[in-house]
Amino acid sequence: MKKLFYPALFHAAEEGGYWVTFPDIPECVTEGDDMEEAYSMAVDALGLALTERMKDKEELPCASKVEDIKEDGAVVIVQFDLDEYNRKHNSKAVKKTLSIPEWLNEEAMAASINFSQVLQEALMTKLRTVES
């Protein structure tokens, strides 16, 4: 599971609510009618900005240390869970062809095993060990 943490600046809006900026990701700006909505929107905006950078093969910026941020606003650390974001936004199924021994196929079918689910679970487990 890949979790990223970036500081965000929450600013009180004159009309109520909050607008949010990220010192390390200038293109990432959002707002919300209250703190809860602003935080939720900040997570989504951060996810969009980071995944766009990843798609463009850009390096992700290092997160600033809270004590190094000199801009106005309340500093709030925003957590972004890449795995959760991908499950929510990139759940389009992709067909894969693979080969397994015939005996394994027969036993798995007799046990009513969902091949796609088993493969997904195995790949997620493998990715966690690779990332560690």
Side-chain angles (χ1 to χ4, degrees), residues 2-127:
K2 188 167 187 177
K3 293 186 183 188
L4 303 169
F5 300 87
Y6 282 90
L9 292 168
F10 281 62
H11 311 269
E14 288 180 17
E15 63 278 358
Y18 298 89
W19 56 281
V20 184
T21 59
F22 288 84
D24 303 308
I25 307 166
E27 72 274 16
C28 191
V29 179
T30 190
E31 64 182 331
D33 292 336
D34 55 34
M35 182 62 75
E36 184 178 348
E37 183 181 26
Y39 186 86
S40 177
M41 296 295 287
V43 172
D44 284 344
L46 178 61
L48 180 60
L50 293 178
T51 55
E52 284 301 312
R53 285 183 178 211
M54 286 185 254
K55 284 179 191 172
D56 293 340
K57 306 286 190 231
E58 294 178 29
E59 191 172 321
L60 298 183
C62 293
S64 295
K65 293 180 181 177
V66 172
E67 58 270 16
D68 293 341
I69 298 173
K70 305 298 180 205
E71 300 171 49
D72 289 336
V75 178
V76 175
I77 302 300
V78 176
Q79 175 183 314
F80 172 66
D81 184 329
L82 180 59
D83 292 340
E84 181 64 29
Y85 185 88
N86 282 334
R87 279 191 286 279
K88 184 176 177 183
H89 297 286
N90 299 321
S91 59
K92 177 183 162 190
V94 178
K95 190 171 183 101
K96 291 289 181 188
T97 303
L98 58 106
S99 299
I100 60 172
E102 184 176 11
W103 68 267
L104 186 57
N105 180 60
E106 290 171 3
E107 290 202 22
M109 289 182 64
S112 299
I113 291 176
N114 181 321
F115 286 79
S116 293
Q117 181 179 359
V118 170
L119 179 59
Q120 289 176 47
E121 291 168 357
L123 286 170
M124 286 189 274
T125 300
K126 184 68 171 180
L127 286 170

